Amino acid sequence: MITCKLPHNLLFILKRVLCVLLFFCIENSLFAQTVQVPENIQAALLSKVLKFNQDLQKTANIKILVVYNKNLEINRDNFINGLDESISVKAIKPIELEKNISDYKVVYFMSGLNKEAILCKKHKVLSVTGTNQYVENGEISLGFKVENNKPRIVMNLTSLEKEEQFFSSDILRISKIFK
C-alpha cells in the first residue's frame, strides 16, 4: 500500500473545497422543487384554465381576488398584468379577504399566503396558487408547478369538491391530480 503525504495546508484547502462542492450539490437537490412558474405565465395559464370550469363558463366577466402582502407587490403586479383583459381583478391583503370574498368567483393566493384559503371552501370560491405544495396538501384547489422545465397545472380533487368547483375532463386529463 502506497501512501501519499500532503502538506497540512493543502489538505485543509482540499477539505474546504470538498465541503463547498458538497453543499452546492445538496442545495440543488433540496431546493429544486422551489422553482415556481413565473407569475405572468401563471396568470396566462389561469385565464385559459378557467374556461374549463363549468360554473365560470357561464360568467361573462370573471372576478378574481389576488391576496398578497407588502413583500409580494412586484409578483402581484406581474400576475395581474398577465391576466386576460376580460378578467376583473382586485388585489387585497390577507386581512381583507373575508369581507371581499363573497363578491368574487376566484381567489389567487401569492406564495406563502395560504392560511386564509379555508374561506374559499366556506364561500364556495375557487382557490388558486403558484405554490404547488398547497395544492398537494389540499389547502388550495388549483395551482401551477414546473415539471421538466415546463409549467404544469396541478389540481386537488378533494379541495375542488369542497369548494364545489367542477372542471371538464379535458383539463383534468392534462393536469397532475391530487386527492
Side-chain angles (χ1 to χ4, degrees):
M1 180 172 183
I2 301 173
T3 60
C4 179
K5 287 215 166 209
L6 295 173
H8 182 61
N9 59 349
L10 184 58
L11 188 60
F12 177 78
I13 291 170
L14 284 173
K15 285 180 181 178
R16 295 291 177 211
V17 169
L18 183 62
C19 286
V20 169
L21 288 173
L22 186 61
F23 171 76
F24 284 116
C25 290
I26 290 172
E27 180 185 42
N28 286 341
S29 66
L30 287 177
F31 298 111
Q33 290 292 338
T34 61
V35 175
Q36 288 190 333
V37 177
E39 282 79 10
N40 60 332
I41 295 174
Q42 288 179 48
L45 284 170
L46 181 60
S47 298
K48 304 285 187 233
V49 170
L50 293 178
K51 294 174 183 171
F52 293 90
N53 181 297
Q54 294 173 4
D55 191 39
L56 297 176
Q57 285 176 345
K58 306 168 198 163
T59 308
N61 186 20
I62 299 171
K63 295 170 70 177
I64 295 179
L65 282 174
V66 176
V67 180
Y68 76 101
N69 64 25
K70 186 176 175 152
N71 299 330
L72 299 168
E73 289 176 351
I74 292 172
N75 303 50
R76 173 204 64 196
D77 294 342
N78 289 337
F79 180 80
I80 291 171
N81 291 334
L83 287 169
D84 189 87
E85 293 176 4
S86 65
I87 296 176
S88 300
V89 184
K90 180 178 181 181
I92 61 169
K93 304 284 173 98
I95 197 162
E96 301 170 274
L97 181 60
E98 188 152 24
K99 77 175 186 181
N100 286 282
I101 196 168
S102 60
D103 295 330
Y104 290 82
K105 298 282 187 183
V106 181
V107 177
Y108 177 84
F109 293 89
M110 300 299 297
S111 182
L113 303 174
N114 61 314
K115 292 182 179 151
E116 290 79 12
I118 191 78
L119 291 171
C120 292
K121 290 169 183 47
K122 179 181 173 186
H123 292 274
K124 309 305 180 208
V125 173
L126 178 64
S127 59
V128 182
T129 187
T131 309
N132 70 307
Q133 289 86 358
Y134 301 154
V135 178
E136 288 179 34
N137 297 338
E139 298 169 80
I140 295 180
S141 297
L142 172 68
F144 305 96
K145 73 180 219 168
V146 174
E147 192 171 274
N148 298 324
N149 294 322
K150 296 178 185 169
R152 177 114 191 248
I153 302 162
V154 292
M155 294 187 179
N156 187 297
L157 295 181
T158 304
S159 183
L160 284 169
E161 188 176 302
K162 289 178 182 176
E163 293 173 357
E164 296 181 6
Q165 300 295 317
F166 303 98
F167 284 87
S168 77
S169 60
D170 294 331
I171 199 73
L172 293 172
R173 196 175 12 255
I174 64 169
S175 301
K176 181 159 186 160
I177 303 296
F178 296 96
K179 294 181 181 184

